[in-house]
Amino acid sequence: MRKKVIAGNWKMYKSLSEVKTFASEFKDMVTAIDDREIVICPPFIHIRTLVELFAGSPVKIGGQNLFWEDEGAFTAEISGPMLKSAGASYVIIGHSERRQYFCETDETVNKRLFAALKSGLMPIVCIGETLNQRESGSTFNVIDTQVKNGLKGLAGGDVLRLVVAYEPVWAIGTGKTATPEIAQEVHSYIRSILSDMFGSEASGSIPILYGGSVKPENIDMLMAQKDIDGALVGGASLKADSFVRIVKYRS
Ligand code: PEP
């Protein structure tokens, strides 16, 4: 059975005191969960604090990005070894906000992917079409290109450490969730590309998360879909009670 992963992307939100309040509310509510991965990806500055606050709990911490060099004169960048040494286990790569505002491309996604794997981090590689692309009928072409170029060169045991997140750009932060049927259609297509690239056995074990206005009200329907193995959650992961309900989805 595929691993289920519920990951929160905190983007550029939360002060230190808000982080502490969240952790004190959230930790006790998830202590007994052992059948799914729970991941929180805060701004870099809070990673170490959260690793310490969630010690002894099932909650894992991730970065929201990484640079592909290990170290050097790259002002404001963060490397894989730095994330790892701070206690992170996951890292988000190629989020649509990074692609839109920070010029990330499938090529840089690919470099970051290998940097993450080299550092022992689990990469969550984000892909997804814009509204224009969906309306012009090019969703599947866009997904095909993003998967093939973003994951180029991936092989062997590294394939089994991959997590993919399908996040239709038109659904991120807009309140417009893809219907479970639309999401399932694209997830199933992504799995077929992964199967062509890595074989059916490996593709069958890669978690594909859905992201885009996931909320307590829609998580159960999404998780009931055959190829949806979890969620990448922005806004609704910022409050402990709503994120707990998403983590404790029922399907
Ligand atoms: C995200 O940031 O990856 C995301 C899906 O955001 P939201 O849940 O707020 O749409």
Side-chain angles (χ1 to χ4, degrees), residues 7 9-11 92 95-97 126 167-168 171-176 210-215 232-237:
N9 171 17
W10 281 3
K11 312 192 188 204
I92 297 171
H95 190 278
S96 64
E97 287 152 15
C126 301
E167 300 207 301
I172 296 180
T174 58
K176 286 185 201 156
Y210 170 78
S213 297
V214 172
K215 305 181 258 275
L232 181 54
V233 188
S237 71

Side-chain angles (χ1 to χ4, degrees), residues 201-214:
E201 199 180 326
S203 86
S205 65
I206 299 171
I208 307 177
L209 318 187
Y210 170 78
S213 297
V214 172

Side-chain angles (χ1 to χ4, degrees), residues 12 23-24 30 47 50 83 88 94-95 108 112 130 137 140 175 181 204-206 208 210 222 224 235-236 248:
M12 198 176 73
S24 69
V30 295
I47 287 178
L50 281 168
L83 286 173
H95 190 278
T108 62
R112 291 175 210 276
T130 63
F140 292 103
E181 294 72 26
S205 65
I206 299 171
I208 307 177
Y210 170 78
L222 289 162
K248 293 186 178 176

Side-chain angles (χ1 to χ4, degrees), residues 170-193:
W170 47 271
I172 296 180
T174 58
K176 286 185 201 156
T177 323
T179 61
E181 294 72 26
I182 289 178
Q184 166 57 28
E185 184 184 33
V186 181
H187 279 233
S188 155
Y189 181 67
I190 294 167
R191 200 169 310 282
S192 73
I193 308 171

